[in-house]
Amino acid sequence: MTEAEFEALRAFLKARSGLSLSADKRYLVESRLGSVCSRFKIESLSHLVREIRSGRSSALEKATVEAMTTNETFFFRDKAPFDLFQDVLLPKYLKERAASRRLRIWCAAASTGQEPYSLAMLLKEAAARMAGWQVEIIASDISTEVLEKAKAGFYNQFEVQRGLPARLLVKYFAQVGDQWQISPEIRSMVDFRYLNLIEDFSRLGTFDIVYCRNVLIYFDAALKADVLRRIANTMAPDGSLLLGASETILGVTDALTLDAAHRGLYTKTSGAGAPRMLASAVR
Amino acid sequence: MNHCLIVDDSRVIRKVSRQIVESLSFRVSEAENGEVGLLACQAEMPDLILLDWNMPVMDGYTFLTRLRATPEGQHPVVVFCTTENDVQYITRALNAGANEYIMKPFDKGILAAKLEGLGLLTAPTAG
Ligand SMILES: C[S@@+](CC[C@H](N)C(=O)[O-])C[C@H]1O[C@@H](n2cnc3c(N)ncnc32)[C@H](O)[C@@H]1O
């Protein structure tokens, strides 16, 4: 692969998924796209780039984009965002949505499903307090491959041990050979959908809680700011956003404000997005 | 510094586990079966116990029920670490008072995440 071909590939990935690859990530491209080449019976990365440039194979384009995503995730990852959900957010919205009894949650980069399923299990654990409530969890990702795995709900022994308490494993999973499948009851609580964050997502409607963790780290500052602004627009006036443990919005956008009391939790900056008066009227 | 007792009849497993928990800042002692483990607990009650299931002389399940039968034995966090990976074993262990259950083979990532879940560690991840 020549320098020019690598550049073309970087530009393609950035345009298609927002992935911002620095020039020193050649090794990453080479290690991740080798399997795409063999799957599509393409001789080399140079040929792959030529094929993509020709615009002849959308299947190849899609496979290339997906192969370059990092899908690392696990149940109750970092713990704190889930403690926060259980101890702070759920009580808050149970109170503030008591009239409508509706709660809408969005996992904006759900990968293989561990994040939305962790939330679904916590909701199930709180079922006694939520009789008559209508709760929606929308879980989206750009990779259809991870979405398929998420929907099927099968995890191997390694995956069910990483972060998932054994108590919840025996309660919500069935052992199938050397795999574990999450129960139909939990699966039915999550609506998995294909969604590319660089495209418009306003049609999803309004959310009370958004988890957008460990995906914006792959975007450049301008795209990060754009996505965060559009996420803020999908949030209810008193909505909550959770980012990854290492992520910050400092200097990126002022549409959101860090909640001083809770690490990783952001709320809409008052006055931004929906007008303030409307916000208090809705509340 | 938190004290961890590893109860396992395999010297190799004890060595590997010791390296992992030491790297997570625990002080470690070892016992090769449940009976020796109970004596170790009488001498000094640990904060964390990594417990194998199948061992000669006294198995991990018996060890756990005897430990939990005493008032001081309520203190340690007990994590089974065993090749028994059937859901029935896990349920039995939890009902007998185990706090967590790890199916072998495991690595540092799994143990660290479990200990974090039990409030014995705090370490966020990235990526
Ligand atoms: C590291 S995973 C994060 C999973 C989970 N949120 C967590 O924190 O454990 C990042 C996910 O973002 C997805 N992703 C990358 N670019 C995306 C885009 N433009 N739109 C939607 N999802 C994207 C990837 O496919 C991958 O599954």
Side-chain angles (χ1 to χ4, degrees), chain A residues 70 72 74 77-80 157-158 160-170 173 175 180 214 217-218 244-246 263, chain B residues 82 85-88 90-91 94 99-107 109-110 113-114 116-119 123-127:
Chain A
T70 300
E72 161 89 352
F74 49 95
R77 181 178 188 173
D78 299 336
K79 192 166 181 289
Q157 186 165 303
F158 179 76
V160 295
Q161 301 220 78
R162 243 185 122 191
L164 180 69
R167 187 180 65 79
L168 297 180
L169 174 67
V170 297
F173 288 75
Q175 207 164 10
W180 296 78
N214 303 306
I217 47 175
Y218 303 106
S246 62
R263 206 166 142 246
Chain B
T82 165
N85 60 4
D86 196 280
V87 67
Q88 278 158 6
I90 307 178
T91 310
L94 295 177
N99 300 82
E100 262 301 348
Y101 197 102
I102 294 177
M103 298 171 264
K104 286 176 185 162
F106 65 96
D107 63 4
I110 287 179
K114 290 281 189 194
E116 196 188 342
L118 292 163
T125 59

Side-chain angles (χ1 to χ4, degrees), chain A residues 16-19 66 69-74 77 108-112 115 140-143 146 195-198 211-215 217-219 244, chain B residues 127:
Chain A
R16 286 292 296 269
S17 68
L19 178 65
E66 294 198 9
T69 59
T70 300
N71 309 116
E72 161 89 352
T73 186
F74 49 95
R77 181 178 188 173
S111 190
T112 40
E115 185 179 88
S140 61
D141 202 282
I142 194 175
S143 164
V146 295
L195 187 140
N196 185 347
L197 287 169
I198 74 173
Y211 278 69
C212 183
R213 303 171 64 225
N214 303 306
V215 63
I217 47 175
Y218 303 106
F219 299 168

Side-chain angles (χ1 to χ4, degrees), chain A residues 231-239 255-257 266-274:
Chain A
I231 286 178
N233 287 339
T234 72
M235 287 161 63
D238 62 348
L256 294 153
T257 306
Y266 297 82
T267 53
K268 262 166 104 144
T269 307
S270 39

